[in-house]
Amino acid sequence: MSIRGYKWSVGILASIVLLLAWLCCSFYRERVWAAFISFECETTDQCAASADSPDVLAHDVRFLEIYYQDHSRALEHSKLHRVVERDYQHSLTNAVSAFRRITTNDLGGDIDVWLKKYGD
């Protein structure tokens, strides 16, 4: 094999290694963002379970909404996006249940209605 053949072999192998390294880093980054969003969802669930004030709960839910909207863009075309979205929707459902328990009002299942009344 000539020198040119060795150069091509090394170039192709280096390109494959770089591609695999980029894919690993990209997948790791997605996992980290998914873990951060999931942690915020768990924190909001814990707050909903132990909240005594609808104002505090509204503040936590508003933070979760903003955090999710800002950071879920990094997961838009990945398989983890559905898992994170399910956690987010579950946290919002738990928050609505907590609002009903705390306030003894029923403003429906839409979280925005609850946040308009008790947030801001």
Side-chain angles (χ1 to χ4, degrees):
M1 190 177 220
S2 67
I3 298 293
R4 180 176 285 177
Y6 286 122
K7 286 181 181 179
W8 277 100
S9 299
V10 169
I12 290 172
L13 287 175
S15 299
I16 291 172
V17 167
L18 285 173
L19 177 66
L20 289 175
W22 178 78
L23 287 174
C24 288
C25 289
S26 177
F27 183 66
Y28 179 75
R29 179 183 53 88
E30 289 174 357
R31 285 181 39 207
V32 167
W33 281 117
F36 284 155
I37 295 171
S38 180
F39 176 76
E40 288 303 324
C41 290
E42 288 176 19
T43 303
T44 304
D45 284 342
Q46 291 172 358
C47 178
S50 64
D52 294 330
S53 169
D55 299 329
V56 172
L57 181 58
H59 180 268
D60 287 342
V61 171
R62 180 67 69 194
F63 177 78
L64 177 64
E65 280 187 334
I66 293 169
Y67 192 86
Y68 178 78
Q69 290 169 359
D70 288 346
H71 294 89
S72 66
R73 286 186 219 131
L75 302 172
E76 277 184 349
H77 301 292
S78 74
K79 295 177 182 178
L80 291 173
H81 187 263
R82 280 188 246 141
V83 174
V84 170
E85 186 176 6
R86 186 185 64 215
D87 283 348
Y88 174 69
Q89 293 298 329
H90 185 263
S91 294
L92 294 182
T93 303
N94 288 346
V96 168
S97 299
F99 274 124
R100 287 181 179 146
R101 177 181 48 84
I102 294 168
T103 63
T104 65
N105 292 333
D106 189 8
L107 300 177
D110 187 15
I111 193 70
D112 292 329
V113 175
W114 290 94
L115 292 177
K116 278 183 187 175
K117 180 160 182 149
Y118 295 106
D120 299 333

